[in-house]
Amino acid sequence: MVGRTPEYLRKRIGYAEMRWVVVYALIPPTVILACSAIALATGNAQSSMGNTGAHGLTSAPSPTG
């Protein structure tokens, strides 16, 4: 690496700290995707989808049926 080492509040940021930053950044999307997969695996989530296609999970079912 060329240049100065990364610092925060005059302390060097090493490999271990950056590894934890990456782990903390990846945990929320992983948990969200896992919970979404579990919800879709159950019959209740599949039957509640009113719209077909890509937006079936994010769109509310139409009031006309």
Side-chain angles (χ1 to χ4, degrees):
M1 186 164 77
V2 177
R4 298 178 59 164
T5 58
E7 293 181 359
Y8 180 69
L9 298 177
R10 296 185 180 175
K11 295 178 100 176
R12 288 187 181 172
I13 300 174
Y15 174 76
E17 290 87 3
M18 289 307 297
R19 181 178 52 204
W20 285 114
V21 167
V22 170
V23 168
Y24 289 143
L26 291 177
I27 285 176
T30 305
V31 170
I32 291 170
L33 286 175
C35 292
S36 298
I38 292 170
L40 285 176
T42 63
N44 292 335
Q46 292 174 354
S47 65
S48 68
M49 287 178 34
N51 298 325
T52 59
H55 294 284
L57 291 174
T58 58
S59 299
S62 62
T64 58

Coordinates of all heavy atoms in Angstrom, one line a residue:
M1 N 0.8 -1.2 0.0 CA 0.0 0.0 0.0 C 0.9 1.2 0.0 O 1.9 1.3 0.7 CB -0.9 0.0 1.2 CG -1.9 1.1 1.2 SD -3.2 0.8 2.4 CE -2.5 1.2 3.9
V2 N 0.6 2.2 -0.8 CA 1.3 3.4 -0.9 C 0.6 4.5 -0.1 O -0.6 4.6 -0.2 CB 1.5 3.8 -2.4 CG1 2.3 5.1 -2.5 CG2 2.2 2.7 -3.2
G3 N 1.4 5.3 0.6 CA 0.8 6.4 1.3 C 0.7 6.1 2.8 O 1.4 5.2 3.3
R4 N -0.1 6.9 3.5 CA -0.2 6.7 4.9 C -1.1 5.6 5.3 O -2.0 5.3 4.6 CB -0.7 8.1 5.5 CG 0.3 9.2 5.3 CD -0.3 10.5 5.8 NE -0.5 10.3 7.2 CZ -0.7 11.3 8.0 NH1 -0.7 12.6 7.6 NH2 -1.0 11.1 9.3
T5 N -0.9 5.1 6.5 CA -1.9 4.1 7.0 C -3.2 4.7 7.4 O -3.1 5.9 7.9 CB -1.2 3.3 8.1 OG1 -0.9 4.2 9.2 CG2 0.0 2.5 7.7
P6 N -4.3 4.1 7.2 CA -5.6 4.7 7.7 C -5.6 4.9 9.2 O -5.1 4.1 10.0 CB -6.6 3.6 7.3 CG -5.9 2.7 6.4 CD -4.5 2.8 6.6
E7 N -6.1 6.0 9.6 CA -6.2 6.4 11.0 C -7.6 6.9 11.3 O -8.3 7.5 10.4 CB -5.2 7.4 11.3 CG -3.8 7.0 11.3 CD -2.8 8.1 11.7 OE1 -3.2 9.2 12.0 OE2 -1.6 7.8 11.7
Y8 N -8.0 6.7 12.5 CA -9.3 7.3 13.0 C -9.0 7.7 14.4 O -8.6 6.9 15.3 CB -10.4 6.3 13.0 CG -11.7 6.8 13.5 CD1 -12.4 7.8 12.8 CD2 -12.2 6.4 14.7 CE1 -13.6 8.3 13.3 CE2 -13.4 6.9 15.2 CZ -14.1 7.8 14.5 OH -15.2 8.3 15.0
L9 N -9.2 9.0 14.7 CA -8.9 9.6 16.0 C -7.4 9.3 16.4 O -7.2 9.0 17.6 CB -9.9 9.1 17.1 CG -11.3 9.4 16.9 CD1 -12.2 8.8 18.0 CD2 -11.5 10.9 16.8
R10 N -6.5 9.5 15.5 CA -5.1 9.3 15.6 C -4.7 7.9 16.1 O -3.7 7.7 16.7 CB -4.6 10.3 16.6 CG -4.7 11.8 16.1 CD -4.1 12.7 17.1 NE -4.3 14.1 16.5 CZ -3.9 15.2 17.2 NH1 -3.3 15.1 18.3 NH2 -4.1 16.3 16.6
K11 N -5.5 6.9 15.8 CA -5.2 5.5 16.0 C -5.2 4.8 14.7 O -6.1 5.0 13.9 CB -6.2 4.9 17.0 CG -6.2 5.5 18.4 CD -7.2 4.9 19.2 CE -6.5 3.8 20.1 NZ -7.4 3.2 21.1
R12 N -4.2 3.9 14.5 CA -4.2 3.2 13.3 C -5.3 2.2 13.2 O -5.7 1.6 14.2 CB -2.8 2.5 13.2 CG -1.7 3.4 12.9 CD -0.4 2.6 12.7 NE 0.7 3.5 12.4 CZ 1.9 3.1 12.3 NH1 2.2 1.8 12.4 NH2 2.8 4.0 12.1
I13 N -5.8 2.0 12.0 CA -6.9 1.0 11.7 C -6.2 -0.1 11.1 O -5.6 0.0 10.0 CB -8.0 1.6 10.8 CG1 -8.6 2.8 11.5 CG2 -9.0 0.5 10.5 CD1 -9.6 3.5 10.6
G14 N -6.2 -1.3 11.8 CA -5.5 -2.5 11.3 C -6.5 -3.4 10.6 O -7.7 -3.2 10.4
Y15 N -5.9 -4.6 10.3 CA -6.6 -5.6 9.6 C -7.8 -6.1 10.5 O -8.9 -6.4 9.9 CB -5.7 -6.8 9.3 CG -6.4 -8.0 8.7 CD1 -6.8 -8.0 7.4 CD2 -6.6 -9.1 9.5 CE1 -7.4 -9.1 6.9 CE2 -7.2 -10.2 8.9 CZ -7.6 -10.2 7.6 OH -8.3 -11.3 7.1
A16 N -7.6 -6.3 11.7 CA -8.7 -6.9 12.6 C -9.9 -5.9 12.7 O -11.0 -6.4 12.6 CB -8.1 -7.1 14.0
E17 N -9.6 -4.6 12.8 CA -10.7 -3.7 12.9 C -11.5 -3.6 11.6 O -12.7 -3.6 11.6 CB -10.2 -2.3 13.2 CG -9.7 -2.1 14.6 CD -8.2 -2.5 14.7 OE1 -7.6 -2.8 13.7 OE2 -7.7 -2.5 15.9
M18 N -10.8 -3.7 10.4 CA -11.5 -3.7 9.1 C -12.3 -4.9 8.9 O -13.4 -4.9 8.3 CB -10.5 -3.5 8.0 CG -9.9 -2.1 8.0 SD -11.2 -0.8 7.9 CE -12.0 -1.1 6.4
R19 N -11.8 -6.0 9.4 CA -12.5 -7.3 9.3 C -13.9 -7.2 10.1 O -14.9 -7.6 9.6 CB -11.7 -8.4 9.8 CG -12.4 -9.8 9.7 CD -11.5 -10.9 10.2 NE -11.1 -10.6 11.6 CZ -10.0 -11.2 12.1 NH1 -9.2 -12.0 11.4 NH2 -9.6 -10.8 13.3
W20 N -13.8 -6.6 11.2 CA -15.1 -6.5 12.0 C -16.0 -5.5 11.4 O -17.3 -5.7 11.4 CB -14.8 -6.0 13.4 CG -14.3 -7.2 14.3 CD1 -13.0 -7.3 14.8 CD2 -15.0 -8.4 14.6 NE1 -12.9 -8.5 15.4 CE2 -14.1 -9.2 15.3 CE3 -16.2 -8.9 14.3 CZ2 -14.4 -10.4 15.8 CZ3 -16.6 -10.1 14.8 CH2 -15.7 -10.9 15.6
V21 N -15.5 -4.4 10.7 CA -16.4 -3.5 10.0 C -17.1 -4.2 8.9 O -18.3 -4.0 8.7 CB -15.5 -2.3 9.4 CG1 -16.3 -1.5 8.4 CG2 -15.0 -1.4 10.6
V22 N -16.4 -5.1 8.1 CA -17.0 -5.8 7.1 C -18.0 -6.8 7.6 O -19.1 -6.9 7.0 CB -15.9 -6.5 6.2 CG1 -16.6 -7.5 5.2 CG2 -15.1 -5.5 5.5
V23 N -17.7 -7.5 8.7 CA -18.7 -8.4 9.3 C -20.0 -7.7 9.7 O -21.1 -8.1 9.4 CB -18.0 -9.1 10.5 CG1 -19.1 -9.9 11.3 CG2 -17.0 -10.1 10.0
Y24 N -19.8 -6.5 10.4 CA -21.0 -5.7 10.8 C -21.8 -5.2 9.6 O -23.0 -5.1 9.7 CB -20.5 -4.6 11.7 CG -20.0 -5.0 13.1 CD1 -19.0 -4.3 13.7 CD2 -20.6 -6.1 13.8 CE1 -18.6 -4.7 15.0 CE2 -20.2 -6.5 15.0 CZ -19.1 -5.8 15.6 OH -18.7 -6.2 16.8
A25 N -21.1 -4.9 8.5 CA -21.8 -4.4 7.4 C -22.6 -5.5 6.6 O -23.6 -5.3 6.0 CB -20.8 -3.7 6.4
L26 N -22.1 -6.8 6.8 CA -22.8 -7.9 6.1 C -23.9 -8.6 6.9 O -24.7 -9.3 6.3 CB -21.7 -8.9 5.6 CG -20.8 -8.4 4.5 CD1 -19.8 -9.5 4.3 CD2 -21.6 -8.1 3.3
I27 N -23.9 -8.3 8.2 CA -24.9 -9.0 9.0 C -26.3 -8.6 8.7 O -27.2 -9.5 8.6 CB -24.5 -8.9 10.5 CG1 -23.3 -9.8 10.9 CG2 -25.7 -9.2 11.4 CD1 -22.8 -9.6 12.3
P28 N -26.7 -7.3 8.7 CA -28.1 -6.9 8.4 C -28.6 -7.5 7.1 O -29.7 -8.0 7.1 CB -28.0 -5.4 8.5 CG -26.9 -5.1 9.3 CD -25.9 -6.1 9.0
P29 N -28.0 -7.3 6.0 CA -28.5 -7.9 4.8 C -28.7 -9.4 4.8 O -29.7 -10.0 4.3 CB -27.6 -7.5 3.6 CG -26.7 -6.5 4.2 CD -26.7 -6.6 5.7
T30 N -27.8 -10.1 5.5 CA -27.9 -11.5 5.6 C -29.1 -11.9 6.4 O -29.8 -12.9 6.1 CB -26.6 -12.1 6.2 OG1 -25.5 -11.6 5.4 CG2 -26.6 -13.6 6.2
V31 N -29.3 -11.2 7.5 CA -30.4 -11.6 8.4 C -31.7 -11.3 7.7 O -32.7 -12.1 7.7 CB -30.3 -10.7 9.7 CG1 -31.6 -10.8 10.5 CG2 -29.1 -11.2 10.5
I32 N -31.8 -10.2 6.9 CA -33.0 -9.8 6.2 C -33.3 -10.9 5.1 O -34.5 -11.3 5.0 CB -32.9 -8.4 5.6 CG1 -32.9 -7.4 6.7 CG2 -34.0 -8.2 4.6 CD1 -32.6 -6.0 6.2
L33 N -32.3 -11.3 4.4 CA -32.5 -12.3 3.3 C -32.9 -13.6 3.9 O -33.7 -14.3 3.4 CB -31.2 -12.4 2.5 CG -31.0 -11.3 1.5 CD1 -29.6 -11.5 0.9 CD2 -32.1 -11.2 0.5
A34 N -32.3 -14.0 5.1 CA -32.6 -15.3 5.7 C -34.1 -15.3 6.2 O -34.8 -16.2 6.0 CB -31.7 -15.6 6.9
C35 N -34.5 -14.2 6.8 CA -35.9 -14.1 7.3 C -36.9 -14.0 6.1 O -37.9 -14.6 6.2 CB -36.0 -12.8 8.2 SG -35.2 -12.9 9.7
S36 N -36.5 -13.4 5.0 CA -37.4 -13.4 3.9 C -37.5 -14.8 3.3 O -38.6 -15.2 2.9 CB -36.8 -12.5 2.8 OG -36.8 -11.2 3.3
A37 N -36.4 -15.6 3.3 CA -36.5 -16.9 2.8 C -37.3 -17.8 3.6 O -38.1 -18.6 3.1 CB -35.0 -17.5 2.7
I38 N -37.2 -17.6 4.9 CA -38.0 -18.4 5.9 C -39.5 -18.1 5.7 O -40.4 -18.9 5.7 CB -37.6 -18.2 7.3 CG1 -36.2 -18.8 7.5 CG2 -38.6 -18.8 8.3 CD1 -35.5 -18.5 8.8
A39 N -39.8 -16.8 5.5 CA -41.2 -16.4 5.3 C -41.8 -16.9 4.0 O -42.9 -17.3 4.0 CB -41.3 -14.8 5.3
L40 N -41.0 -16.9 3.0 CA -41.5 -17.5 1.7 C -41.6 -19.0 1.7 O -42.4 -19.5 1.0 CB -40.6 -17.0 0.6 CG -40.7 -15.6 0.2 CD1 -39.7 -15.3 -0.9 CD2 -42.1 -15.3 -0.3
A41 N -40.9 -19.6 2.6 CA -40.9 -21.1 2.7 C -42.2 -21.6 3.3 O -42.6 -22.7 3.1 CB -39.7 -21.6 3.4
T42 N -42.8 -20.7 4.1 CA -44.1 -21.1 4.8 C -45.3 -20.9 3.9 O -45.2 -20.0 2.9 CB -44.3 -20.3 6.1 OG1 -44.4 -18.9 5.7 CG2 -43.1 -20.4 7.0
G43 N -46.3 -21.6 4.1 CA -47.5 -21.5 3.2 C -48.2 -20.2 3.4 O -48.9 -19.7 2.5
N44 N -48.2 -19.6 4.6 CA -48.9 -18.3 4.8 C -48.4 -17.2 4.0 O -49.2 -16.4 3.5 CB -48.8 -17.9 6.3 CG -49.5 -18.9 7.2 OD1 -50.5 -19.6 6.7 ND2 -49.1 -19.0 8.4
A45 N -47.1 -17.1 3.8 CA -46.5 -16.0 3.1 C -46.8 -16.2 1.6 O -47.1 -15.2 0.9 CB -45.0 -15.9 3.3
Q46 N -46.8 -17.4 1.1 CA -47.1 -17.6 -0.3 C -48.6 -17.3 -0.6 O -48.9 -16.8 -1.7 CB -46.8 -19.0 -0.7 CG -45.3 -19.3 -0.7 CD -45.0 -20.8 -0.9 OE1 -45.8 -21.6 -1.0 NE2 -43.7 -21.1 -1.0
S47 N -49.5 -17.7 0.3 CA -50.9 -17.4 0.0 C -51.3 -16.0 0.2 O -52.3 -15.5 -0.4 CB -51.7 -18.3 0.9 OG -51.6 -17.9 2.3
S48 N -50.5 -15.2 0.9 CA -50.8 -13.8 1.1 C -50.4 -12.9 0.0 O -50.8 -11.7 -0.1 CB -50.2 -13.3 2.4 OG -48.8 -13.2 2.3
M49 N -49.6 -13.4 -0.9 CA -49.1 -12.6 -2.1 C -50.3 -12.4 -3.0 O -50.8 -13.3 -3.7 CB -48.0 -13.2 -2.8 CG -46.7 -13.2 -2.0 SD -45.3 -14.0 -2.7 CE -45.4 -13.8 -4.4
G50 N -50.8 -11.1 -3.1 CA -51.9 -10.9 -4.0 C -51.5 -10.6 -5.4 O -52.3 -10.8 -6.4
N51 N -50.3 -10.1 -5.6 CA -49.8 -9.7 -6.9 C -48.8 -10.8 -7.4 O -48.0 -11.3 -6.6 CB -49.1 -8.4 -6.9 CG -50.1 -7.3 -6.6 OD1 -51.3 -7.3 -6.9 ND2 -49.6 -6.3 -5.8
T52 N -48.8 -11.1 -8.7 CA -47.9 -12.0 -9.2 C -46.7 -11.2 -9.8 O -46.8 -10.0 -10.0 CB -48.5 -12.8 -10.4 OG1 -49.0 -11.9 -11.4 CG2 -49.7 -13.6 -9.8
G53 N -45.6 -11.9 -10.0 CA -44.4 -11.3 -10.6 C -43.5 -10.8 -9.6 O -43.5 -11.2 -8.4
A54 N -42.6 -9.9 -10.0 CA -41.5 -9.5 -9.2 C -41.9 -8.6 -8.0 O -41.2 -8.6 -7.0 CB -40.5 -8.7 -10.0
H55 N -43.0 -7.9 -8.1 CA -43.5 -7.1 -7.0 C -44.5 -7.7 -6.1 O -45.3 -7.0 -5.5 CB -43.9 -5.7 -7.6 CG -42.8 -4.9 -8.2 ND1 -41.9 -4.3 -7.4 CD2 -42.5 -4.7 -9.5 CE1 -41.0 -3.7 -8.3 NE2 -41.4 -3.9 -9.5
G56 N -44.7 -9.0 -6.2 CA -45.7 -9.7 -5.4 C -45.4 -9.5 -3.9 O -46.4 -9.5 -3.1
L57 N -44.2 -9.4 -3.5 CA -43.9 -9.3 -2.1 C -44.0 -7.9 -1.6 O -44.3 -7.6 -0.4 CB -42.5 -9.8 -1.8 CG -42.2 -11.3 -1.9 CD1 -40.8 -11.6 -1.8 CD2 -43.1 -12.0 -0.9
T58 N -43.7 -6.9 -2.4 CA -43.7 -5.5 -2.0 C -45.0 -4.7 -2.2 O -45.1 -3.7 -1.6 CB -42.5 -4.8 -2.7 OG1 -42.7 -4.8 -4.1 CG2 -41.2 -5.4 -2.3
S59 N -45.8 -5.2 -3.0 CA -47.1 -4.5 -3.4 C -48.2 -5.1 -2.6 O -48.3 -6.3 -2.3 CB -47.4 -4.6 -4.8 OG -46.4 -4.1 -5.6
A60 N -49.1 -4.2 -2.2 CA -50.3 -4.7 -1.4 C -51.3 -5.3 -2.5 O -51.3 -4.9 -3.6 CB -51.0 -3.5 -0.7
P61 N -52.0 -6.3 -2.0 CA -53.0 -6.8 -2.9 C -54.1 -5.8 -3.4 O -54.4 -4.9 -2.6 CB -53.6 -8.0 -2.1 CG -53.2 -7.8 -0.8 CD -52.1 -6.9 -0.7
S62 N -54.6 -6.0 -4.5 CA -55.6 -5.0 -5.0 C -56.9 -5.2 -4.3 O -57.2 -6.3 -3.9 CB -55.8 -5.2 -6.5 OG -56.3 -6.5 -6.8
P63 N -57.6 -4.1 -4.0 CA -58.8 -4.2 -3.2 C -59.9 -4.9 -4.0 O -60.9 -5.3 -3.4 CB -59.2 -2.7 -2.9 CG -58.4 -1.9 -3.9 CD -57.2 -2.7 -4.3
T64 N -59.8 -4.9 -5.3 CA -60.9 -5.6 -6.0 C -60.8 -7.1 -6.1 O -61.7 -7.7 -6.5 CB -60.9 -5.1 -7.5 OG1 -59.6 -5.4 -8.1 CG2 -61.1 -3.6 -7.6
G65 N -59.7 -7.6 -5.6 CA -59.7 -9.0 -5.4 C -58.6 -9.6 -6.2 O -58.0 -10.5 -6.4

